């Protein structure tokens, strides 16, 4: 089903941002405006949120295609946001209704938090009564009242706190994490120089998501969040842990405090209080850093731009599909899939959770976002090492290795695997330089403290090579026998996938290979079958996005210019396509979508037409192996020749900068969680396959790939992924992100078809509360 079946002709849509600002709001506004215009609707800006709707006049302006140019990379909200007392009053909402009816607006897209969305729903419920009052006062006639009888509302959640029910991530959260991690990484260098303890206070009055995930992403020693008041006596436990770390020659300690952190008596736990505790009890040199509104600032991350763009398009589709009986909904993200949720179900769930939390019942764990619980469990696994006497004694040896090219986040995954493995009672072994190091015997035991500080390190500290095991399978088997390796965790890209298959094929010859094996995908190319996402791809996307922003900015104030950018990815067009969506590209050439000279010529003509308006810059991305004849140089020369007199061209090959740098918060968190889950699977398989004093596992499901599939992490036997794989071009036969390509084209003003069969469907909110015993372990 394609969106041509849904016409926006005659419809008027207004978009506003309300409450606090969040990075990515501009990307959402841009997507609503351009998708609305694309389907034939009139789209209006409402400046200054609900205040602008009440005041009317120039605060409500019709938007044009060009009016949202250059918005994508800007932080905050260009159309303004304000808290509005007037809209809370009936008279204010009456004025707002009059201003909308005067312009024929009956479709609202509201980007804000739960307060803004609650206000929008109240406005919708009162709409018919407000129109009746306007008729009675003679401000509108009966015909207008009938014509505009129903108000339709779709919400998008813009909040850095990630404090809304029913969604994994709200717009702005990932960017806020980027700001926090940038500060933490900078602080860690100075803290190590002086042997200091740093207490960081991050935002989160009611939701500790930012504190918890940033603690995971930087390996913080302690975290305090409002969802889980610490057990009585937490002060002593925290100081004992900090003292033990310092005695173990660790030169710094990091404590992260959410601004809304409380104790079991509902008393606030402030960053200053934590600092004083450390100074008085331990005498450590301690500093406090309160990040404040820095977390709201800066340019949006690639994730937030893509999320906001997808949600903006989804919001317009939802408005086109609404009827008089359709409830107001919120478009959100679950896993990797768009969903629509009844707005008031979400709001009522939040209110219900807060009632539980603050109605003198502080011992109850509550959280709003779906991913919070998993983050919390993972943090508890990694942050606190149990005494040796409390660890289970499994007597199993597990080896971990990196295979393929380096990818940011690999080190976070290794750290997670090592610490979870030790917590499970296993002896962990690190293999240097992939399968090459394996057959050469570059294997050594790795301890809990050995992986301290690894989460923020880029590249691969274990070393990684592209060597496959088949030619050296006998030596690898010999090393597995020598070190008594009972299970393998392979972290890497397509070579890791091929390597696991080669080890699996050799099981009939070498019994040493009949052990549980699991692969965790880690490659910037995101080309591993069985997983929608790979560790490292988000960091690469951010590198591409930041570079494209700077490149486009270099043309500011100059003559019209088009930039041709080459990205990595082998034959996989993920980086070019999704990077193009995040950077606002006009075209992205990839192998999966063949193109010819007529397509190139059409793109040049399209850019020429755009350059005749106020648009000054064009951006074209090309995946490195998209076509062996239409090279980056060829496309650059073609555009240069055909654009003469209208625009000039520049080219840039991004190269290995996409593989380098510190991992993004997403990659640190994703690598940490997926590796922890992989190790827990290994523990389960080891116990299942242990017979008569040895491990023997030769079934298909004992060699798996752990990947993200739509909404969940799924273990899939690698043999079952053969039919899904194009081995010649090293890509999956079906790739979910290809459905995002029409979004980039639509937002770049191309006429194209957009398949809505996979768009969000209306679902219901489910309260997910873990058992008390699971949740209340000390943080």
């Amino acid at each position: 089903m394609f969106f041509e079946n849904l016409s926006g002709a005659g419809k008027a849509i207004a978009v506003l941002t309300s409450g606090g600002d969040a990075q990515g709001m501009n990307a959402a506004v841009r997507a609503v405006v351009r998708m609305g215009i694309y389907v034939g609707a009139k789209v209006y800006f409402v400046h200054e949120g609900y205040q602008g709707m009440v005041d009317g006049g120039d605060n409500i302006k019709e938007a044009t295609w060009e009016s949202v140019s250059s918005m994508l990379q800007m932080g905050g909200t260009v159309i303004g946001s304000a808290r509005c007392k007037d809209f809370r009053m009936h008279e204010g909402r009456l004025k707002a209704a009059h201003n909308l009816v005067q312009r024929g607006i009956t479709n609202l897209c509201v980007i804000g938090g739960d307060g803004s969305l609650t206000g929008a729903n109240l406005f919708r419920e009162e709409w018919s009564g407000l129109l009746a009052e306007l008729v009675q006062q003679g401000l509108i006639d009966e015909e207008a009242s009938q014509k505009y009888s129903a108000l339709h509302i779709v919400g998008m959640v813009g909040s850095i706190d990630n404090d809304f029910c029913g969604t994994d991530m709200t717009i702005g959260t990932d960017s806020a994490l980027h700001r926090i991690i940038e500060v933490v990484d900078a602080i860690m260098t100075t803290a190590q120089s002086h042997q200091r303890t740093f207490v960081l206070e991050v935002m989160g009055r009611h939701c500790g998501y930012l504190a918890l995930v940033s603690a995971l992403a930087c390996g913080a020693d302690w975290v305090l969040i409002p969802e889980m008041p610490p057990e009585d006596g937490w002060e002593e436990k925290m100081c004992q842990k900090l003292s033990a770390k310092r005695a173990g020659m660790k030169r710094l300690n990091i404590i992260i405090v959410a601004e809304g952190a409380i104790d079991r008596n509902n008393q606030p736990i402030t960053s200053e209080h934590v600092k004083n505790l450390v100074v008085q009890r331990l005498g450590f040199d301690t500093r406090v850093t309160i990040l404040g509104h820095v977390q709201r600032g800066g340019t949006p991350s690639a994730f937030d731009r893509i999320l906001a763009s997808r949600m903006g398009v989804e919001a317009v589709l939802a408005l086109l599909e609404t009827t008089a009986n359709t409830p107001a909904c919120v478009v959100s993200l679950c896993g990797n899939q768009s969903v629509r949720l009844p707005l008031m179900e979400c709001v009522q769930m939040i209110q219900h959770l807060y009632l539980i939390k603050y109605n003198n019942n502080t011992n109850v764990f509550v959280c709003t976002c779906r991913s919070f619980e998993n983050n919390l469990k993972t943090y508890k696994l990694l942050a606190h090492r149990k005494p040796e006497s409390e660890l289970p004694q499994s007597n199993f040896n597990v080896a971990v290795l990196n295979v393929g090219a380096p990818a940011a986040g690999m080190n976070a995954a290794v750290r997670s695997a090592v610490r979870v493995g030790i917590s499970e009672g296993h002896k962990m072994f690190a293999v240097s330089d992939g399968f090459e190091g394996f057959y050469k015997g570059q294997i050594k035991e790795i301890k809990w403290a050995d992986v301290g500080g690894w989460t923020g390190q880029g590249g691969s500290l274990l070393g990684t090579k592209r060597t496959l095991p088949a030619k050296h399978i006998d030596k690898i088997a010999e090393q597995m026998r020598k070190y008594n390796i009972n299970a393998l965790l392979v972290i890497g890209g397509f070579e890791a996938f091929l390597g696991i298959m080669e080890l699996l094929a050799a099981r009939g010859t070498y019994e040493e290979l009949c052990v549980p094996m699991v692969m965790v995908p880690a490659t910037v190319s995101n080309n591993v079958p069985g997983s929608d996402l790979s560790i490292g791809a988000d960091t690469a996307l951010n590198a591409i996005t930041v570079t494209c922003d700077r490149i486009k900015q270099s043309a500011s104030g100059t003559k019209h210019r088009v930039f041709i950018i080459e990205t990595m990815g082998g034959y996989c067009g993920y980086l070019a396509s999704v990077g193009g969506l995040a950077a606002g590209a006009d075209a992205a050439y990839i192998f999966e979508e063949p193109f010819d000279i007529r397509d190139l010529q059409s793109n040049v003509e399209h850019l020429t037409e755009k350059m005749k308006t106020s648009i000054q810059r064009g951006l074209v991305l090309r995946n490195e192996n998209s076509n062996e004849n239409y090279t980056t140089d060829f496309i650059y020369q073609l555009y240069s020749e055909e654009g003469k007199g209208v625009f000039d061209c520049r080219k840039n090959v991004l190269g290995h900068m996409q593989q380098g740098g510190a991992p993004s918060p997403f990659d640190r968190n994703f690598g940490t969680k997926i590796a922890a889950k992989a190790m827990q699977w290994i523990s389960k398989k080891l116990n299942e396959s242990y017979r008569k004093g040895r491990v023997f596992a030769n079934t298909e499901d004992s060699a798996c790939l752990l990947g993200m599939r739509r909404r969940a992490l799924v273990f899939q036997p690698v043999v079952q992924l053969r039919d899904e794989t194009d081995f010649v071009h090293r890509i999956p036969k079906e790739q979910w992100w290809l459905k995002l390509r029409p979004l980039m084209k639509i937002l770049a003003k191309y006429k194209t078809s957009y398949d809505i069969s996979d768009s969000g469907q209306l679902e219901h909110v489910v309260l997910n509360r873990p058992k008390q015993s699971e949740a209340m372990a000390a943080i």
Side-chain angles (χ1 to χ4, degrees):
M1 181 181 178
F2 294 92
F3 83 86
E4 283 92 340
N5 299 324
L6 301 170
S7 174
K11 290 202 173 191
I13 300 171
V15 58
L16 68 146
T17 53
S18 179
D21 65 319
Q23 307 98 316
M25 279 184 165
N26 289 322
V29 170
R30 171 181 177 266
V32 170
V33 168
R34 292 196 166 177
M35 188 65 178
I37 293 172
Y38 193 82
V39 298
K42 278 189 174 183
V43 186
Y44 291 84
F45 291 137
V46 179
H47 292 274
E48 309 306 329
Y50 286 118
Q51 190 65 56
M53 195 187 298
V54 172
D55 295 342
D58 288 341
N59 288 305
I60 305 176
K61 288 183 179 178
E62 186 172 353
T64 64
W65 193 276
E66 288 74 24
S67 62
V68 292
S69 294
S70 302
M71 280 177 64
L72 191 60
Q73 68 270 25
M74 297 179 71
T77 166
V78 169
I79 60 175
S81 180
R83 314 259 180 204
C84 180
K85 292 182 179 178
D86 292 339
F87 193 76
R88 296 177 185 174
M89 310 299 291
H90 181 79
E91 283 302 313
R93 293 193 291 276
L94 189 66
K95 288 180 183 178
H98 185 218
N99 289 328
L100 294 185
V101 170
Q102 281 183 314
R103 294 163 177 79
I105 298 170
T106 56
N107 297 278
L108 278 184
C109 184
V110 181
I111 308 166
D114 61 307
S116 303
L117 299 179
T118 303
N121 192 67
L122 175 62
F123 193 37
R124 176 179 178 270
E125 290 174 348
E126 291 183 346
W127 183 257
S128 58
L130 294 172
L131 294 193
E133 281 188 60
L134 292 172
V135 170
Q136 190 178 10
Q137 294 177 16
L139 295 173
I140 64 172
D141 55 28
E142 190 64 43
E143 183 182 349
S145 177
Q146 293 296 320
K147 184 176 181 181
Y148 306 119
S149 59
L151 179 67
H152 305 296
I153 289 173
V154 171
M156 284 183 276
V157 189
S159 167
I160 67 167
D161 292 336
N162 203 29
D163 57 353
F164 199 80
C165 278
T167 182
D168 286 345
M169 290 285 273
T170 57
I171 296 168
T173 302
D174 187 69
S175 300
L177 286 170
H178 273 257
R179 301 294 91 78
I180 294 168
I181 295 305
E182 285 166 7
V183 171
V184 172
D185 286 351
I187 279 175
M188 288 177 85
T189 56
T190 184
Q192 284 180 325
S193 301
H194 299 277
Q195 291 196 49
R196 280 182 177 151
T197 296
F198 268 88
V199 181
L200 271 76
E201 183 181 303
V202 303
M203 284 185 166
R205 284 178 300 164
H206 305 297
C207 180
Y209 185 88
L210 289 178
L212 178 59
V213 175
S214 56
L216 257 179
C218 72
D221 299 298
W222 205 266
V223 62
L224 293 156
I225 56 177
E227 288 84 352
M228 279 185 58
E231 294 177 344
D232 294 337
W234 65 271
E235 298 94 338
E236 186 62 33
K237 289 182 179 178
M238 181 185 75
C239 290
Q240 285 176 357
K241 181 178 181 185
L242 298 181
S243 182
K245 284 290 184 73
R246 195 61 65 89
M249 303 306 292
K250 185 175 179 182
R251 297 182 61 82
L252 79 155
N253 302 110
I254 300 288
I255 303 167
I256 296 183
V257 183
E259 62 178 336
I262 54 175
D263 64 19
R264 295 249 178 143
N265 299 311
N266 254 345
Q267 296 303 305
I269 301 174
T270 65
S271 51
E272 196 64 31
H273 173 62
V274 175
K275 173 198 169 183
N276 292 336
L277 272 173
V278 176
V279 171
Q280 291 166 12
R281 298 196 182 194
L282 300 176
F284 290 174
D285 186 5
T286 306
R287 298 288 187 272
V288 172
T289 300
I290 300 175
L291 298 189
H293 283 74
V294 164
Q295 296 156 88
R296 291 191 186 279
T299 61
S301 66
F303 183 97
D304 273 328
R305 299 185 198 195
I306 296 159
L307 172 65
S309 297
R310 290 178 68 183
M311 296 302 99
V313 169
E314 186 71 29
V316 172
L317 294 176
L319 285 171
L320 293 181
E321 294 172 6
T322 54
T323 65
N325 299 320
T326 305
C329 75
V330 177
V331 293
S332 61
L333 181 76
C334 181
N336 201 29
Q337 188 176 12
S338 301
V339 295
R340 300 176 191 175
L341 301 165
L343 189 155
M344 286 315 294
E345 278 190 25
C346 296
V347 172
Q348 287 163 6
M349 186 66 74
I350 292 173
Q351 292 170 347
H352 173 63
L353 291 173
Y354 286 158
L355 276 174
I356 295 172
K357 180 70 183 170
Y358 296 109
N359 191 21
N360 297 319
N361 195 4
T362 57
N363 295 335
V364 177
F365 174 94
V366 293
C367 60
T368 51
C369 71
R370 300 188 188 198
S371 58
F372 194 101
E373 182 189 350
N374 287 333
N375 287 314
L376 182 59
K377 287 180 177 178
T378 307
Y379 178 80
K380 288 189 295 187
L381 275 173
L382 301 175
H384 304 286
R385 185 181 184 184
K386 294 179 181 178
E388 295 287 342
S389 58
E390 295 181 21
L391 291 175
Q393 296 301 312
S394 72
N395 296 317
F396 292 128
N397 296 342
V398 181
V400 57
L401 62 157
N402 294 338
V403 176
M410 275 183 164
N411 296 320
V414 172
R415 169 186 177 268
S416 176
V418 168
R419 292 197 167 179
V420 173
I422 291 171
S423 296
E424 301 271 328
H426 310 318
K427 186 180 284 189
M428 299 299 297
F429 287 85
V431 181
S432 300
D433 297 336
F435 288 117
E436 184 173 315
F438 207 150
Y439 81 78
K440 289 180 178 178
Q442 295 171 210
I443 304 167
K444 66 176 182 179
E445 187 179 355
I446 188 166
K447 303 279 191 176
W448 183 282
D450 295 336
V451 291
W454 279 33
T455 49
Q457 300 280 345
S460 167
L461 293 174
L462 288 186
T464 181
K465 295 278 183 75
R466 296 182 182 273
T467 307
L468 293 176
K471 292 181 180 178
H472 311 282
I473 206 77
D474 54 338
K475 293 180 181 178
I476 289 174
E478 181 184 331
Q479 296 296 337
M480 291 190 70
R481 184 169 57 253
K482 177 181 176 181
Y483 289 93
N484 190 28
I485 301 299
N486 306 121
L488 283 180
L489 171 59
V490 183
I491 302 167
F494 204 86
E495 288 87 359
F497 175 66
L498 294 174
I500 288 277
M501 294 189 72
E502 289 181 2
L503 294 178
L504 190 61
R507 275 180 169 177
T509 308
Y510 301 96
E511 284 193 1
E512 293 85 353
L513 302 178
C514 294
V515 297
M517 305 176 189
V518 63
M519 177 196 161
V520 169
T523 167
V524 300
S525 302
N526 199 33
N527 64 332
V528 177
S531 188
D532 293 345
L533 295 171
S534 298
I535 299 166
D538 183 73
T539 304
L541 280 178
N542 278 287
I544 292 167
T545 303
V546 169
T547 306
C548 287
D549 286 350
R550 291 175 179 173
I551 286 171
K552 288 196 294 183
Q553 191 179 47
S554 72
S556 181
T558 66
K559 58 185 176 179
H560 294 163
R561 182 164 288 168
V562 174
F563 297 94
I564 316 295
I565 312 294
E566 182 183 300
T567 66
M568 295 178 79
Y571 287 97
C572 180
Y574 175 81
L575 291 180
S577 296
V578 183
L581 180 59
D586 296 279
Y589 301 118
I590 62 171
F591 169 78
E592 293 91 342
E593 196 172 282
F595 58 96
D596 57 24
I597 194 66
R598 289 177 291 276
D599 298 309
L600 294 171
Q601 184 63 36
S602 174
N603 294 151
V604 172
E605 292 170 357
H606 179 81
L607 272 168
T608 302
E609 285 300 311
K610 287 179 69 174
M611 292 292 179
K612 291 177 181 177
T613 64
S614 60
I615 305 295
Q616 281 192 310
R617 291 157 291 182
L619 183 66
V620 175
L621 271 63
R622 177 189 175 275
N623 180 54
E624 58 184 349
N625 287 347
S626 55
N627 189 292
E628 62 180 343
N629 294 314
Y630 300 133
T631 62
T632 301
D633 284 335
F634 178 91
I635 293 172
Y636 162 70
Q637 290 166 5
L638 175 69
Y639 273 69
S640 297
E641 180 64 28
E642 296 298 318
K644 276 184 180 177
V646 181
F647 60 80
D648 67 359
C649 278
R650 295 290 185 274
K651 66 175 178 177
N652 198 305
V653 178
L654 301 187
H656 283 77
M657 64 174 292
Q658 296 157 85
Q659 283 183 335
S664 68
F666 181 93
D667 277 330
R668 299 184 196 198
N669 193 23
F670 184 50
T672 298
K673 285 197 291 191
I674 195 170
K677 193 174 182 71
M679 279 306 305
Q680 290 170 330
W681 177 89
I682 282 176
S683 296
K684 179 184 173 185
K685 288 294 179 185
L686 283 170
N687 289 323
E688 289 176 357
S689 57
Y690 186 70
R691 297 287 185 277
K692 298 180 180 179
R694 59 171 293 193
V695 173
F696 187 82
N698 65 347
T699 56
E700 284 187 359
D701 66 353
S702 64
C704 284
L705 181 145
L706 175 56
M708 169 66 79
R709 282 288 179 100
R710 294 172 71 86
R711 299 192 183 193
L713 289 171
V714 182
F715 290 95
Q716 306 141 96
V718 290
V719 293
Q720 294 179 14
L721 296 173
R722 282 180 180 144
D723 293 340
E724 300 180 22
T725 307
D726 176 352
F727 286 97
V728 175
H729 299 103
R730 299 160 60 90
I731 55 174
K733 290 179 181 177
E734 292 186 12
Q735 303 188 83
W736 68 273
W737 52 265
L738 288 170
K739 293 182 179 179
L740 299 182
R741 283 184 60 79
L743 296 191
M744 184 192 70
K745 293 178 182 178
I746 288 169
L747 298 178
K749 213 173 183 178
Y750 284 91
K751 287 293 179 186
T752 188
S753 294
Y754 180 50
D755 186 356
I756 63 170
S757 61
D758 197 40
S759 63
Q761 303 299 313
L762 194 65
E763 300 181 7
H764 294 283
V765 183
V766 178
L767 175 61
N768 185 22
R769 279 174 57 183
K771 295 177 182 177
Q772 186 82 354
S773 59
E774 292 177 354
M776 291 311 297
I779 290 190

